[in-house]
Amino acid sequence: MSDTIATDKAPAAIGPYAQARVAGGLLFVSGQLPIDPATGAFAGPDAPTQAARSLTNIAAIAEAAGTSLAKAVKMTVYVTDLTQFKAVNEVYAGFFQAPFPARSTVEVSALPLGASVEIDAVIAL
Ligand SMILES: C=C(N)C(=O)O
C-alpha cells in the first residue's frame, strides 16, 4: 500500500499536500477544512457545525487508512474565534471517548477559504 492516503469521502486537498500520510506506524492527517466532499461547500457557517464536518472528514480519512478516530493520539484544533471554544468542545466530545487523544486548540487570525475551523490529527494505525 502506498503511504499516501486518498479518499473521495473527504475533501480533496486544496493545495500541494496529501490528505494524509503514513509513517512510523502513525497516520498524519492534514488539516481538514469543514468542506462536505459531496457538495464541495462548507458544512455551515458556525464553528460547531464546521468542527463536526472537519472531524467527520478526519474519520473518513482514518477509515481509508484502516484505522479510526478511536486510535487518535494527537489533535490540533484551529479556530478563528476562541469564544467558540465551549461550543466546539461540546461537538468535539461527541467524536471521542476516554482515553481522549492529546489536543491543542489555538486561535488563528484566518484559515484557508475563510473557514472558521480546521483540525488535523495524528492517529495510530
Ligand atoms: C487546508 C490545508 N490543510 C492546507 O492548506 O494546508
Side-chain angles (χ1 to χ4, degrees):
M1 183 177 88
S2 164
D3 71 355
T4 298
I5 305 302
T7 176
D8 61 8
K9 294 188 170 59
I14 59 164
Y17 60 90
Q19 286 177 326
R21 294 283 302 269
V22 171
L26 297 170
L27 178 70
F28 294 83
V29 182
S30 291
Q32 288 301 300
L33 294 169
I35 296 170
D36 181 340
T39 64
F42 280 164
D46 60 287
T49 301
Q50 292 199 1
R53 186 70 243 179
S54 293
L55 288 165
T56 299
N57 292 342
I58 292 171
I61 293 168
E63 185 177 350
T67 185
S68 73
L69 274 186
K71 291 188 170 184
V73 291
K74 177 66 167 70
M75 307 294 293
T76 307
V77 179
Y78 306 90
V79 294
T80 56
D81 179 1
L82 203 50
T83 68
Q84 294 298 302
F85 181 74
K86 183 170 183 288
V88 168
N89 245 353
E90 286 169 4
V91 166
Y92 182 96
F95 283 79
F96 296 96
Q97 294 180 323
F100 299 113
R103 192 186 81 179
S104 303
T105 300
V106 294
E107 181 181 278
V108 296
S109 61
L111 288 163
L113 306 181
S116 298
V117 176
E118 181 177 339
I119 304 175
D120 63 33
V122 181
I123 304 174
L125 292 175

mmCIF file of all heavy atoms in Angstrom, residues 50-102:
data_model
loop_
_atom_site.group_PDB
_atom_site.id
_atom_site.type_symbol
_atom_site.label_atom_id
_atom_site.label_comp_id
_atom_site.label_asym_id
_atom_site.label_seq_id
_atom_site.Cartn_x
_atom_site.Cartn_y
_atom_site.Cartn_z
ATOM 1 N N GLN A 50 -18.938 23.445 11.707
ATOM 2 C CA GLN A 50 -17.711 23.253 10.935
ATOM 3 C C GLN A 50 -16.790 22.247 11.619
ATOM 4 O O GLN A 50 -16.157 21.414 10.957
ATOM 5 C CB GLN A 50 -17.008 24.597 10.726
ATOM 6 C CG GLN A 50 -17.806 25.531 9.806
ATOM 7 C CD GLN A 50 -16.974 26.647 9.215
ATOM 8 O OE1 GLN A 50 -15.768 26.763 9.447
ATOM 9 N NE2 GLN A 50 -17.627 27.494 8.431
ATOM 10 N N ALA A 51 -16.709 22.299 12.933
ATOM 11 C CA ALA A 51 -15.864 21.343 13.665
ATOM 12 C C ALA A 51 -16.353 19.911 13.431
ATOM 13 O O ALA A 51 -15.551 18.994 13.225
ATOM 14 C CB ALA A 51 -15.862 21.673 15.152
ATOM 15 N N ALA A 52 -17.651 19.731 13.452
ATOM 16 C CA ALA A 52 -18.207 18.395 13.226
ATOM 17 C C ALA A 52 -17.824 17.892 11.838
ATOM 18 O O ALA A 52 -17.459 16.715 11.661
ATOM 19 C CB ALA A 52 -19.728 18.427 13.388
ATOM 20 N N ARG A 53 -17.895 18.765 10.849
ATOM 21 C CA ARG A 53 -17.538 18.345 9.482
ATOM 22 C C ARG A 53 -16.053 18.021 9.375
ATOM 23 O O ARG A 53 -15.664 17.032 8.744
ATOM 24 C CB ARG A 53 -17.906 19.440 8.489
ATOM 25 C CG ARG A 53 -17.708 19.076 7.042
ATOM 26 C CD ARG A 53 -18.728 18.046 6.601
ATOM 27 N NE ARG A 53 -18.104 16.796 6.213
ATOM 28 C CZ ARG A 53 -18.775 15.728 5.810
ATOM 29 N NH1 ARG A 53 -20.088 15.739 5.767
ATOM 30 N NH2 ARG A 53 -18.138 14.631 5.473
ATOM 31 N N SER A 54 -15.219 18.840 9.979
ATOM 32 C CA SER A 54 -13.779 18.573 9.932
ATOM 33 C C SER A 54 -13.463 17.229 10.578
ATOM 34 O O SER A 54 -12.663 16.441 10.055
ATOM 35 C CB SER A 54 -13.003 19.693 10.636
ATOM 36 O OG SER A 54 -13.112 20.908 9.920
ATOM 37 N N LEU A 55 -14.112 16.948 11.699
ATOM 38 C CA LEU A 55 -13.877 15.670 12.376
ATOM 39 C C LEU A 55 -14.436 14.502 11.568
ATOM 40 O O LEU A 55 -13.832 13.421 11.522
ATOM 41 C CB LEU A 55 -14.486 15.700 13.780
ATOM 42 C CG LEU A 55 -13.731 16.593 14.769
ATOM 43 C CD1 LEU A 55 -14.579 16.871 16.004
ATOM 44 C CD2 LEU A 55 -12.392 15.967 15.165
ATOM 45 N N THR A 56 -15.555 14.711 10.910
ATOM 46 C CA THR A 56 -16.111 13.659 10.044
ATOM 47 C C THR A 56 -15.154 13.376 8.895
ATOM 48 O O THR A 56 -14.945 12.219 8.505
ATOM 49 C CB THR A 56 -17.492 14.099 9.522
ATOM 50 O OG1 THR A 56 -18.358 14.285 10.640
ATOM 51 C CG2 THR A 56 -18.099 13.065 8.579
ATOM 52 N N ASN A 57 -14.552 14.421 8.359
ATOM 53 C CA ASN A 57 -13.574 14.228 7.289
ATOM 54 C C ASN A 57 -12.358 13.450 7.786
ATOM 55 O O ASN A 57 -11.855 12.554 7.099
ATOM 56 C CB ASN A 57 -13.143 15.587 6.717
ATOM 57 C CG ASN A 57 -14.271 16.287 5.979
ATOM 58 O OD1 ASN A 57 -15.255 15.668 5.600
ATOM 59 N ND2 ASN A 57 -14.129 17.587 5.796
ATOM 60 N N ILE A 58 -11.896 13.788 8.974
ATOM 61 C CA ILE A 58 -10.760 13.051 9.549
ATOM 62 C C ILE A 58 -11.133 11.586 9.758
ATOM 63 O O ILE A 58 -10.344 10.681 9.454
ATOM 64 C CB ILE A 58 -10.302 13.703 10.869
ATOM 65 C CG1 ILE A 58 -9.681 15.073 10.582
ATOM 66 C CG2 ILE A 58 -9.294 12.805 11.598
ATOM 67 C CD1 ILE A 58 -9.391 15.901 11.825
ATOM 68 N N ALA A 59 -12.342 11.350 10.232
ATOM 69 C CA ALA A 59 -12.793 9.963 10.445
ATOM 70 C C ALA A 59 -12.805 9.192 9.126
ATOM 71 O O ALA A 59 -12.416 8.011 9.079
ATOM 72 C CB ALA A 59 -14.177 9.963 11.084
ATOM 73 N N ALA A 60 -13.218 9.835 8.053
ATOM 74 C CA ALA A 60 -13.251 9.168 6.740
ATOM 75 C C ALA A 60 -11.839 8.848 6.258
ATOM 76 O O ALA A 60 -11.589 7.773 5.693
ATOM 77 C CB ALA A 60 -13.977 10.059 5.736
ATOM 78 N N ILE A 61 -10.935 9.756 6.482
ATOM 79 C CA ILE A 61 -9.543 9.519 6.082
ATOM 80 C C ILE A 61 -8.946 8.400 6.931
ATOM 81 O O ILE A 61 -8.239 7.518 6.420
ATOM 82 C CB ILE A 61 -8.733 10.825 6.194
ATOM 83 C CG1 ILE A 61 -9.225 11.829 5.146
ATOM 84 C CG2 ILE A 61 -7.242 10.558 6.036
ATOM 85 C CD1 ILE A 61 -8.715 13.245 5.345
ATOM 86 N N ALA A 62 -9.244 8.415 8.218
ATOM 87 C CA ALA A 62 -8.756 7.343 9.097
ATOM 88 C C ALA A 62 -9.270 5.994 8.620
ATOM 89 O O ALA A 62 -8.511 5.013 8.541
ATOM 90 C CB ALA A 62 -9.196 7.615 10.535
ATOM 91 N N GLU A 63 -10.549 5.941 8.281
ATOM 92 C CA GLU A 63 -11.136 4.682 7.804
ATOM 93 C C GLU A 63 -10.452 4.226 6.510
ATOM 94 O O GLU A 63 -10.174 3.034 6.339
ATOM 95 C CB GLU A 63 -12.634 4.852 7.586
ATOM 96 C CG GLU A 63 -13.319 3.561 7.207
ATOM 97 C CD GLU A 63 -14.836 3.710 7.065
ATOM 98 O OE1 GLU A 63 -15.384 4.759 7.435
ATOM 99 O OE2 GLU A 63 -15.451 2.756 6.559
ATOM 100 N N ALA A 64 -10.169 5.151 5.639
ATOM 101 C CA ALA A 64 -9.494 4.801 4.378
ATOM 102 C C ALA A 64 -8.102 4.221 4.632
ATOM 103 O O ALA A 64 -7.583 3.440 3.823
ATOM 104 C CB ALA A 64 -9.398 6.026 3.481
ATOM 105 N N ALA A 65 -7.529 4.594 5.762
ATOM 106 C CA ALA A 65 -6.198 4.098 6.127
ATOM 107 C C ALA A 65 -6.275 2.843 6.991
ATOM 108 O O ALA A 65 -5.236 2.331 7.429
ATOM 109 C CB ALA A 65 -5.422 5.189 6.857
ATOM 110 N N GLY A 66 -7.489 2.402 7.291
ATOM 111 C CA GLY A 66 -7.655 1.188 8.083
ATOM 112 C C GLY A 66 -7.585 1.421 9.579
ATOM 113 O O GLY A 66 -7.333 0.491 10.349
ATOM 114 N N THR A 67 -7.828 2.645 9.996
ATOM 115 C CA THR A 67 -7.833 2.931 11.427
ATOM 116 C C THR A 67 -9.085 3.743 11.752
ATOM 117 O O THR A 67 -10.043 3.737 10.979
ATOM 118 C CB THR A 67 -6.518 3.639 11.843
ATOM 119 O OG1 THR A 67 -6.512 3.791 13.256
ATOM 120 C CG2 THR A 67 -6.324 4.967 11.156
ATOM 121 N N SER A 68 -9.099 4.414 12.896
ATOM 122 C CA SER A 68 -10.305 5.160 13.269
ATOM 123 C C SER A 68 -9.937 6.262 14.251
ATOM 124 O O SER A 68 -8.849 6.267 14.838
ATOM 125 C CB SER A 68 -11.332 4.234 13.915
ATOM 126 O OG SER A 68 -10.910 3.893 15.222
ATOM 127 N N LEU A 69 -10.907 7.146 14.456
ATOM 128 C CA LEU A 69 -10.699 8.230 15.426
ATOM 129 C C LEU A 69 -10.418 7.695 16.825
ATOM 130 O O LEU A 69 -9.774 8.371 17.626
ATOM 131 C CB LEU A 69 -11.945 9.121 15.494
ATOM 132 C CG LEU A 69 -12.089 10.266 14.500
ATOM 133 C CD1 LEU A 69 -13.327 11.087 14.862
ATOM 134 C CD2 LEU A 69 -10.848 11.143 14.485
ATOM 135 N N ALA A 70 -10.887 6.489 17.105
ATOM 136 C CA ALA A 70 -10.660 5.904 18.439
ATOM 137 C C ALA A 70 -9.178 5.701 18.718
ATOM 138 O O ALA A 70 -8.779 5.555 19.871
ATOM 139 C CB ALA A 70 -11.415 4.585 18.568
ATOM 140 N N LYS A 71 -8.374 5.679 17.658
ATOM 141 C CA LYS A 71 -6.935 5.489 17.834
ATOM 142 C C LYS A 71 -6.162 6.799 17.713
ATOM 143 O O LYS A 71 -4.927 6.793 17.617
ATOM 144 C CB LYS A 71 -6.414 4.467 16.825
ATOM 145 C CG LYS A 71 -6.903 3.058 17.093
ATOM 146 C CD LYS A 71 -6.192 2.082 16.186
ATOM 147 C CE LYS A 71 -6.462 0.656 16.592
ATOM 148 N NZ LYS A 71 -5.696 -0.294 15.772
ATOM 149 N N ALA A 72 -6.875 7.912 17.696
ATOM 150 C CA ALA A 72 -6.201 9.219 17.605
ATOM 151 C C ALA A 72 -5.342 9.453 18.845
ATOM 152 O O ALA A 72 -5.763 9.165 19.975
ATOM 153 C CB ALA A 72 -7.227 10.334 17.460
ATOM 154 N N VAL A 73 -4.139 9.942 18.631
ATOM 155 C CA VAL A 73 -3.248 10.218 19.760
ATOM 156 C C VAL A 73 -2.997 11.719 19.941
ATOM 157 O O VAL A 73 -2.662 12.160 21.041
ATOM 158 C CB VAL A 73 -1.901 9.470 19.628
ATOM 159 C CG1 VAL A 73 -2.111 7.974 19.790
ATOM 160 C CG2 VAL A 73 -1.199 9.767 18.313
ATOM 161 N N LYS A 74 -3.166 12.490 18.877
ATOM 162 C CA LYS A 74 -2.935 13.946 18.995
ATOM 163 C C LYS A 74 -3.797 14.686 17.982
ATOM 164 O O LYS A 74 -3.809 14.339 16.808
ATOM 165 C CB LYS A 74 -1.454 14.263 18.749
ATOM 166 C CG LYS A 74 -1.122 15.755 18.775
ATOM 167 C CD LYS A 74 -1.315 16.369 20.157
ATOM 168 C CE LYS A 74 -0.710 17.752 20.293
ATOM 169 N NZ LYS A 74 -1.446 18.759 19.518
ATOM 170 N N MET A 75 -4.504 15.669 18.471
ATOM 171 C CA MET A 75 -5.347 16.505 17.614
ATOM 172 C C MET A 75 -4.900 17.950 17.775
ATOM 173 O O MET A 75 -4.450 18.362 18.854
ATOM 174 C CB MET A 75 -6.819 16.406 18.039
ATOM 175 C CG MET A 75 -7.381 14.999 18.142
ATOM 176 S SD MET A 75 -7.490 14.124 16.581
ATOM 177 C CE MET A 75 -8.740 15.101 15.738
ATOM 178 N N THR A 76 -5.040 18.708 16.722
ATOM 179 C CA THR A 76 -4.856 20.157 16.819
ATOM 180 C C THR A 76 -6.084 20.824 16.206
ATOM 181 O O THR A 76 -6.473 20.499 15.077
ATOM 182 C CB THR A 76 -3.589 20.627 16.091
ATOM 183 O OG1 THR A 76 -2.467 19.874 16.555
ATOM 184 C CG2 THR A 76 -3.327 22.107 16.365
ATOM 185 N N VAL A 77 -6.687 21.698 16.982
ATOM 186 C CA VAL A 77 -7.895 22.407 16.556
ATOM 187 C C VAL A 77 -7.533 23.874 16.367
ATOM 188 O O VAL A 77 -7.026 24.523 17.300
ATOM 189 C CB VAL A 77 -9.009 22.274 17.626
ATOM 190 C CG1 VAL A 77 -10.254 23.028 17.183
ATOM 191 C CG2 VAL A 77 -9.330 20.807 17.898
ATOM 192 N N TYR A 78 -7.783 24.367 15.185
ATOM 193 C CA TYR A 78 -7.536 25.780 14.864
ATOM 194 C C TYR A 78 -8.895 26.462 14.717
ATOM 195 O O TYR A 78 -9.755 25.980 13.972
ATOM 196 C CB TYR A 78 -6.777 25.909 13.543
ATOM 197 C CG TYR A 78 -5.497 25.100 13.496
ATOM 198 C CD1 TYR A 78 -5.511 23.790 13.044
ATOM 199 C CD2 TYR A 78 -4.280 25.638 13.913
ATOM 200 C CE1 TYR A 78 -4.350 23.027 13.003
ATOM 201 C CE2 TYR A 78 -3.119 24.883 13.875
ATOM 202 C CZ TYR A 78 -3.165 23.577 13.419
ATOM 203 O OH TYR A 78 -2.010 22.820 13.386
ATOM 204 N N VAL A 79 -9.075 27.544 15.433
ATOM 205 C CA VAL A 79 -10.327 28.304 15.329
ATOM 206 C C VAL A 79 -9.990 29.774 15.109
ATOM 207 O O VAL A 79 -8.953 30.264 15.584
ATOM 208 C CB VAL A 79 -11.209 28.155 16.590
ATOM 209 C CG1 VAL A 79 -11.695 26.724 16.745
ATOM 210 C CG2 VAL A 79 -10.466 28.608 17.846
ATOM 211 N N THR A 80 -10.857 30.465 14.416
ATOM 212 C CA THR A 80 -10.624 31.895 14.203
ATOM 213 C C THR A 80 -11.253 32.736 15.298
ATOM 214 O O THR A 80 -11.056 33.953 15.329
ATOM 215 C CB THR A 80 -11.166 32.342 12.833
ATOM 216 O OG1 THR A 80 -12.559 32.007 12.763
ATOM 217 C CG2 THR A 80 -10.409 31.671 11.694
ATOM 218 N N ASP A 81 -12.015 32.100 16.190
ATOM 219 C CA ASP A 81 -12.678 32.834 17.268
ATOM 220 C C ASP A 81 -12.735 31.928 18.495
ATOM 221 O O ASP A 81 -13.581 31.030 18.585
ATOM 222 C CB ASP A 81 -14.086 33.231 16.827
ATOM 223 C CG ASP A 81 -14.844 33.980 17.903
ATOM 224 O OD1 ASP A 81 -14.285 34.219 18.995
ATOM 225 O OD2 ASP A 81 -16.015 34.322 17.657
ATOM 226 N N LEU A 82 -11.840 32.201 19.434
ATOM 227 C CA LEU A 82 -11.739 31.318 20.602
ATOM 228 C C LEU A 82 -12.938 31.449 21.546
ATOM 229 O O LEU A 82 -13.094 30.638 22.454
ATOM 230 C CB LEU A 82 -10.421 31.586 21.340
ATOM 231 C CG LEU A 82 -9.877 30.457 22.219
ATOM 232 C CD1 LEU A 82 -9.829 29.113 21.498
ATOM 233 C CD2 LEU A 82 -8.503 30.814 22.754
ATOM 234 N N THR A 83 -13.792 32.445 21.316
ATOM 235 C CA THR A 83 -15.020 32.490 22.119
ATOM 236 C C THR A 83 -15.919 31.293 21.780
ATOM 237 O O THR A 83 -16.858 31.003 22.518
ATOM 238 C CB THR A 83 -15.822 33.797 21.911
ATOM 239 O OG1 THR A 83 -16.355 33.818 20.590
ATOM 240 C CG2 THR A 83 -14.960 35.025 22.161
ATOM 241 N N GLN A 84 -15.614 30.593 20.694
ATOM 242 C CA GLN A 84 -16.373 29.406 20.298
ATOM 243 C C GLN A 84 -15.841 28.136 20.972
ATOM 244 O O GLN A 84 -16.304 27.028 20.672
ATOM 245 C CB GLN A 84 -16.325 29.240 18.775
ATOM 246 C CG GLN A 84 -17.044 30.341 18.026
ATOM 247 C CD GLN A 84 -18.524 30.357 18.366
ATOM 248 O OE1 GLN A 84 -19.214 29.368 18.183
ATOM 249 N NE2 GLN A 84 -19.009 31.479 18.877
ATOM 250 N N PHE A 85 -14.865 28.295 21.859
ATOM 251 C CA PHE A 85 -14.195 27.140 22.475
ATOM 252 C C PHE A 85 -15.179 26.149 23.086
ATOM 253 O O PHE A 85 -15.124 24.937 22.833
ATOM 254 C CB PHE A 85 -13.192 27.636 23.524
ATOM 255 C CG PHE A 85 -12.429 26.547 24.221
ATOM 256 C CD1 PHE A 85 -11.408 25.848 23.591
ATOM 257 C CD2 PHE A 85 -12.721 26.213 25.536
ATOM 258 C CE1 PHE A 85 -10.703 24.848 24.234
ATOM 259 C CE2 PHE A 85 -12.018 25.209 26.196
ATOM 260 C CZ PHE A 85 -11.008 24.533 25.541
ATOM 261 N N LYS A 86 -16.099 26.669 23.914
ATOM 262 C CA LYS A 86 -17.038 25.778 24.616
ATOM 263 C C LYS A 86 -17.942 25.044 23.611
ATOM 264 O O LYS A 86 -18.141 23.828 23.718
ATOM 265 C CB LYS A 86 -17.881 26.599 25.605
ATOM 266 C CG LYS A 86 -18.833 25.782 26.446
ATOM 267 C CD LYS A 86 -19.443 26.662 27.549
ATOM 268 C CE LYS A 86 -20.351 25.885 28.474
ATOM 269 N NZ LYS A 86 -21.606 25.513 27.852
ATOM 270 N N ALA A 87 -18.463 25.774 22.651
ATOM 271 C CA ALA A 87 -19.371 25.158 21.667
ATOM 272 C C ALA A 87 -18.639 24.119 20.820
ATOM 273 O O ALA A 87 -19.185 23.044 20.530
ATOM 274 C CB ALA A 87 -19.975 26.246 20.787
ATOM 275 N N VAL A 88 -17.423 24.429 20.445
ATOM 276 C CA VAL A 88 -16.643 23.460 19.658
ATOM 277 C C VAL A 88 -16.312 22.246 20.520
ATOM 278 O O VAL A 88 -16.382 21.098 20.058
ATOM 279 C CB VAL A 88 -15.374 24.127 19.097
ATOM 280 C CG1 VAL A 88 -14.410 23.087 18.530
ATOM 281 C CG2 VAL A 88 -15.752 25.155 18.029
ATOM 282 N N ASN A 89 -15.976 22.480 21.779
ATOM 283 C CA ASN A 89 -15.671 21.375 22.702
ATOM 284 C C ASN A 89 -16.836 20.404 22.812
ATOM 285 O O ASN A 89 -16.651 19.184 22.868
ATOM 286 C CB ASN A 89 -15.396 21.938 24.092
ATOM 287 C CG ASN A 89 -13.979 21.716 24.539
ATOM 288 O OD1 ASN A 89 -13.202 21.033 23.873
ATOM 289 N ND2 ASN A 89 -13.639 22.291 25.665
ATOM 290 N N GLU A 90 -18.040 20.951 22.857
ATOM 291 C CA GLU A 90 -19.219 20.089 23.017
ATOM 292 C C GLU A 90 -19.383 19.178 21.801
ATOM 293 O O GLU A 90 -19.684 17.987 21.944
ATOM 294 C CB GLU A 90 -20.460 20.954 23.252
ATOM 295 C CG GLU A 90 -20.482 21.537 24.661
ATOM 296 C CD GLU A 90 -21.535 22.601 24.879
ATOM 297 O OE1 GLU A 90 -22.333 22.869 23.964
ATOM 298 O OE2 GLU A 90 -21.534 23.186 25.982
ATOM 299 N N VAL A 91 -19.179 19.724 20.619
ATOM 300 C CA VAL A 91 -19.252 18.902 19.406
ATOM 301 C C VAL A 91 -18.111 17.893 19.387
ATOM 302 O O VAL A 91 -18.303 16.698 19.114
ATOM 303 C CB VAL A 91 -19.207 19.804 18.155
ATOM 304 C CG1 VAL A 91 -18.939 18.984 16.905
ATOM 305 C CG2 VAL A 91 -20.517 20.569 18.022
ATOM 306 N N TYR A 92 -16.929 18.367 19.706
ATOM 307 C CA TYR A 92 -15.725 17.527 19.697
ATOM 308 C C TYR A 92 -15.922 16.315 20.614
ATOM 309 O O TYR A 92 -15.560 15.183 20.257
ATOM 310 C CB TYR A 92 -14.544 18.381 20.159
ATOM 311 C CG TYR A 92 -13.201 17.710 20.173
ATOM 312 C CD1 TYR A 92 -12.318 17.832 19.104
ATOM 313 C CD2 TYR A 92 -12.780 16.985 21.291
ATOM 314 C CE1 TYR A 92 -11.070 17.221 19.123
ATOM 315 C CE2 TYR A 92 -11.544 16.375 21.326
ATOM 316 C CZ TYR A 92 -10.691 16.499 20.241
ATOM 317 O OH TYR A 92 -9.460 15.896 20.281
ATOM 318 N N ALA A 93 -16.499 16.547 21.761
ATOM 319 C CA ALA A 93 -16.677 15.474 22.751
ATOM 320 C C ALA A 93 -17.507 14.327 22.192
ATOM 321 O O ALA A 93 -17.345 13.175 22.614
ATOM 322 C CB ALA A 93 -17.320 16.020 24.017
ATOM 323 N N GLY A 94 -18.368 14.624 21.242
ATOM 324 C CA GLY A 94 -19.212 13.591 20.658
ATOM 325 C C GLY A 94 -18.474 12.627 19.732
ATOM 326 O O GLY A 94 -19.020 11.580 19.363
ATOM 327 N N PHE A 95 -17.254 12.983 19.386
ATOM 328 C CA PHE A 95 -16.481 12.148 18.461
ATOM 329 C C PHE A 95 -15.472 11.247 19.167
ATOM 330 O O PHE A 95 -14.829 10.426 18.511
ATOM 331 C CB PHE A 95 -15.731 13.036 17.450
ATOM 332 C CG PHE A 95 -16.612 13.584 16.361
ATOM 333 C CD1 PHE A 95 -17.431 14.683 16.596
ATOM 334 C CD2 PHE A 95 -16.647 12.997 15.104
ATOM 335 C CE1 PHE A 95 -18.251 15.198 15.592
ATOM 336 C CE2 PHE A 95 -17.459 13.489 14.099
ATOM 337 C CZ PHE A 95 -18.261 14.600 14.345
ATOM 338 N N PHE A 96 -15.317 11.414 20.479
ATOM 339 C CA PHE A 96 -14.259 10.694 21.190
ATOM 340 C C PHE A 96 -14.783 10.109 22.488
ATOM 341 O O PHE A 96 -15.755 10.603 23.057
ATOM 342 C CB PHE A 96 -13.088 11.635 21.505
ATOM 343 C CG PHE A 96 -12.400 12.170 20.281
ATOM 344 C CD1 PHE A 96 -12.739 13.414 19.774
ATOM 345 C CD2 PHE A 96 -11.438 11.419 19.622
ATOM 346 C CE1 PHE A 96 -12.126 13.905 18.629
ATOM 347 C CE2 PHE A 96 -10.816 11.897 18.479
ATOM 348 C CZ PHE A 96 -11.157 13.141 17.993
ATOM 349 N N GLN A 97 -14.092 9.068 22.924
ATOM 350 C CA GLN A 97 -14.341 8.506 24.248
ATOM 351 C C GLN A 97 -13.003 8.414 24.963
ATOM 352 O O GLN A 97 -11.950 8.304 24.316
ATOM 353 C CB GLN A 97 -14.945 7.098 24.135
ATOM 354 C CG GLN A 97 -16.345 7.092 23.520
ATOM 355 C CD GLN A 97 -16.923 5.698 23.428
ATOM 356 O OE1 GLN A 97 -16.205 4.748 23.163
ATOM 357 N NE2 GLN A 97 -18.214 5.588 23.645
ATOM 358 N N ALA A 98 -13.014 8.411 26.272
ATOM 359 C CA ALA A 98 -11.781 8.255 27.038
ATOM 360 C C ALA A 98 -11.150 6.888 26.723
ATOM 361 O O ALA A 98 -11.893 5.915 26.542
ATOM 362 C CB ALA A 98 -12.086 8.372 28.531
ATOM 363 N N PRO A 99 -9.866 6.800 26.648
ATOM 364 C CA PRO A 99 -8.890 7.865 26.868
ATOM 365 C C PRO A 99 -8.812 8.785 25.650
ATOM 366 O O PRO A 99 -8.603 8.323 24.532
ATOM 367 C CB PRO A 99 -7.570 7.091 27.048
ATOM 368 C CG PRO A 99 -7.761 5.828 26.250
ATOM 369 C CD PRO A 99 -9.216 5.497 26.337
ATOM 370 N N PHE A 100 -9.003 10.067 25.897
ATOM 371 C CA PHE A 100 -9.015 11.045 24.816
ATOM 372 C C PHE A 100 -7.614 11.241 24.245
ATOM 373 O O PHE A 100 -6.620 11.087 24.953
ATOM 374 C CB PHE A 100 -9.543 12.389 25.338
ATOM 375 C CG PHE A 100 -10.945 12.312 25.874
ATOM 376 C CD1 PHE A 100 -11.192 12.495 27.212
ATOM 377 C CD2 PHE A 100 -12.011 12.026 25.026
ATOM 378 C CE1 PHE A 100 -12.489 12.412 27.719
ATOM 379 C CE2 PHE A 100 -13.302 11.945 25.512
ATOM 380 C CZ PHE A 100 -13.548 12.125 26.861
ATOM 381 N N PRO A 101 -7.551 11.610 22.979
ATOM 382 C CA PRO A 101 -6.242 11.975 22.436
ATOM 383 C C PRO A 101 -5.728 13.265 23.074
ATOM 384 O O PRO A 101 -6.519 14.077 23.575
ATOM 385 C CB PRO A 101 -6.533 12.193 20.939
ATOM 386 C CG PRO A 101 -7.997 12.412 20.832
ATOM 387 C CD PRO A 101 -8.634 11.712 21.989
ATOM 388 N N ALA A 102 -4.426 13.439 23.053
ATOM 389 C CA ALA A 102 -3.876 14.748 23.413
ATOM 390 C C ALA A 102 -4.434 15.770 22.411
ATOM 391 O O ALA A 102 -4.832 15.407 21.293
ATOM 392 C CB ALA A 102 -2.352 14.698 23.342
#
